[in-house]
Amino acid sequence: MLAVMGCSNKGGTAEGETDEQIAAGYVETLGYKIVDPAGEVAQYTLDQSMLENLDYMQLWSVQKQEPDAYFGKKIITYRFIVENHPLEQQYPPDEYRIAVNVMLADHEVIGGTSGPLSIIKNLVVAGGEYSIQGKTLKEIKGLDYSQWLEHWKERYGAEVK
């Protein structure tokens, strides 16, 4: 699927910038070079029932903030193929491209994900989500997956779908 929380683009945007331009600017501030702006990849209004879906659970697992603040808000995600990303250390550039997904709500960056795409099959490699900076759930939340899942179920009553 897509999506790091705690990032804000407040105050740094020029009047009239599109959401995609805001997202691209954010990617560049992280030091990544955009080699292919893949465009909009998702648009949805977040509600709590969505958090029972494994894709959304994984997406939100690597965000610094919980999704509660975004219930009822329209979230738009833009994908960029980038260079100079930390995941290039794990995934050789001759076999993988790194995709960065940037989530926006109300014209502000609210988070994102990153992950390797196989050059041969152009598929996202299995194994869970990384934050936009290439960090794992444990690095972001300080919890292993089973601890995080228990917290998630208590908070959101998730019956994983």
Side-chain angles (χ1 to χ4, degrees):
M1 176 110 208
L2 336 159
V4 149
M5 298 305 287
C7 27
S8 176
N9 205 29
K10 289 181 184 176
T13 57
E15 284 285 321
E17 276 191 314
T18 67
D19 282 348
E20 188 168 13
Q21 289 169 327
I22 293 167
Y26 181 74
V27 168
E28 291 169 347
T29 66
L30 294 173
Y32 310 147
K33 178 184 174 196
I34 296 172
V35 294
D36 182 12
E40 184 180 313
V41 293
Q43 187 173 138
Y44 59 92
T45 300
L46 185 63
D47 68 63
Q48 186 165 341
S49 69
M50 296 170 82
L51 302 179
E52 295 180 14
N53 177 292
L54 186 58
D55 290 335
Y56 289 101
M57 288 173 65
Q58 288 181 333
L59 179 145
W60 286 96
S61 73
V62 292
Q63 309 308 314
K64 289 183 180 175
Q65 290 182 302
E66 299 293 335
D68 307 54
Y70 304 102
F71 288 156
K73 293 195 180 261
K74 181 168 78 170
I75 297 174
I76 303 171
T77 303
Y78 294 92
R79 175 172 288 165
F80 302 91
I81 305 303
V82 301
E83 293 178 346
N84 302 326
H85 191 280
L87 288 178
E88 290 173 336
Q89 303 304 310
Q90 290 176 250
Y91 300 96
D94 57 332
E95 296 177 36
Y96 300 95
R97 299 179 304 158
I98 304 302
V100 169
N101 299 297
V102 180
M103 301 187 309
L104 290 94
D106 298 327
H107 312 292
E108 292 181 15
V109 174
I110 63 165
T113 59
S114 61
L117 296 173
S118 169
I119 289 175
I120 298 165
K121 297 185 181 175
N122 203 29
L123 298 172
V124 175
V125 175
E129 295 280 1
Y130 292 96
S131 74
I132 204 165
Q133 289 98 354
K135 297 191 182 300
T136 63
L137 169 116
K138 186 156 185 104
E139 292 171 306
I140 298 285
K141 304 284 188 184
L143 304 170
D144 65 30
Y145 181 77
S146 61
Q147 292 169 318
W148 173 82
L149 185 59
E150 196 57 41
H151 161 76
W152 188 265
K153 286 179 178 178
E154 287 173 17
R155 187 156 187 165
Y156 301 108
E159 257 183 62
V160 181
K161 298 176 186 172

